[in-house]
Amino acid sequence: QKEVEQNSGPLSVPEGAIASLNCTYSDRGSQSFFWYRQYSGKSPELIMSIYSNGDKEDGRFTAQLNKASQYVSLLIRDSQPSDSATYLCAVNSSGGGADGLTFGKGTHLIIQP
Amino acid sequence: EAQVTQNPRYLITVTGKKLTVTCSQNMNHEYMSWYRQDPGLGLRQIYYSMNVEVTDKGDVPEGYKVSRKEKRNFPLILESPSPNQTSLYFCASSPLTGGYEQFFGPGTRLTVL
């Protein structure tokens, strides 16, 4: 059974600080990793994808991947109240992706003004 | 505008009354999928489709049917809905296999009384 684990939170971060969200996964053969942002009652929105070890930056967001430790993280710099949402980590399967992505249950992030 | 659409967005029905939730994408994506999202359980895949006339079960297929007669459409059918199917449903599509980034529709909130 493929698993993706996230701390459910809530994670409370002051406005302007760095928010750090973490995710571990069980399928050692996974190749594709994604972070989605989901506001309450809305659909998940893709914000970052990462495929190789190291860091990937996009604006205020940085995704970090360590395949040896089976760990992926998302850093949000200069956190804004509008970043308050649930962040879902998603990982593909090693079997070619036929059955899609496995999602973590999400971390609820609260940015305090 | 590239998008995934779902209809209806909200539906209240009664036990046993057949219903269909439609999903359509205009991005010429090969892969489409249905998820349900419940508090504390996260996103769980119901069914997916790799291409026209190719569908397969996800993690929670019981009580649901799907079809993929056209590339753009992937309807979800509940032939005899029960209260435990009350949930928030999302359709998603992906350009290649499901292991790539998926794009979500706006969601359908279903209540079965």
Side-chain angles (χ1 to χ4, degrees):
Chain A
Q1 180 75 13
K2 302 181 289 292
E3 292 183 349
V4 177
E5 300 287 342
Q6 296 180 254
N7 189 321
S8 63
L11 173 65
S12 185
V13 174
E15 183 176 357
I18 297 175
S20 178
L21 306 166
N22 304 315
C23 171
T24 59
Y25 59 94
S26 63
D27 187 347
R28 186 169 288 279
S30 294
Q31 298 294 322
S32 306
F33 308 86
F34 307 93
W35 283 99
Y36 286 81
R37 177 177 62 200
Q38 186 177 25
Y39 296 112
S40 180
K42 303 297 185 182
S43 61
E45 173 192 10
L46 180 68
I47 55 173
M48 288 289 287
S49 59
I50 187 165
Y51 303 96
S52 56
N53 281 329
D55 295 0
K56 178 182 177 182
E57 185 174 321
D58 184 359
R60 296 187 297 111
F61 299 98
T62 299
Q64 299 174 318
L65 175 62
N66 183 326
K67 291 184 180 179
S69 300
Q70 296 175 242
Y71 177 91
V72 58
S73 65
L74 179 70
L75 301 178
I76 307 175
R77 290 183 300 281
D78 188 23
S79 297
Q80 303 296 310
S82 59
D83 295 326
S84 297
T86 296
Y87 288 81
L88 306 176
C89 174
V91 177
N92 83 312
S93 72
S94 58
D99 57 350
L101 302 177
T102 299
F103 286 82
K105 294 180 181 179
T107 298
H108 183 204
L109 175 65
I110 299 172
I111 306 301
Q112 295 178 321
Chain B
E1 178 189 357
Q3 60 183 349
V4 179
T5 57
Q6 294 178 228
N7 281 291
R9 295 288 313 281
Y10 303 90
L11 179 60
I12 300 174
T13 189
V14 295
T15 299
K17 186 176 182 181
K18 181 179 179 179
L19 66 92
T20 299
V21 183
T22 64
C23 173
S24 183
Q25 50 93 7
N26 62 1
M27 297 171 279
N28 201 37
H29 283 175
E30 302 287 332
Y31 181 99
M32 297 185 74
S33 180
W34 276 102
Y35 296 89
R36 61 178 289 175
Q37 188 174 41
D38 303 286
L41 298 178
L43 277 167
R44 295 179 293 168
Q45 190 178 50
I46 303 170
Y47 269 94
Y48 65 93
S49 171
M50 297 285 287
N51 211 326
V52 175
E53 303 292 1
V54 180
T55 63
D56 210 344
K57 297 177 180 179
D59 296 320
V60 288
E62 293 77 21
Y64 304 95
K65 287 177 59 177
V66 293
S67 67
R68 186 95 180 270
K69 299 189 186 312
E70 304 169 282
K71 195 173 188 178
R72 63 183 293 128
N73 296 323
F74 190 44
L76 179 69
I77 303 159
L78 285 72
E79 298 221 325
S80 184
S82 62
N84 65 9
Q85 293 178 297
T86 293
S87 187
L88 179 58
Y89 290 86
F90 292 106
C91 180
S93 71
S94 179
L96 295 171
T97 70
Y100 290 86
E101 51 212 9
Q102 294 187 20
F103 300 91
F104 284 80
T108 295
R109 186 167 292 282
L110 172 66
T111 301
V112 183
L113 302 175

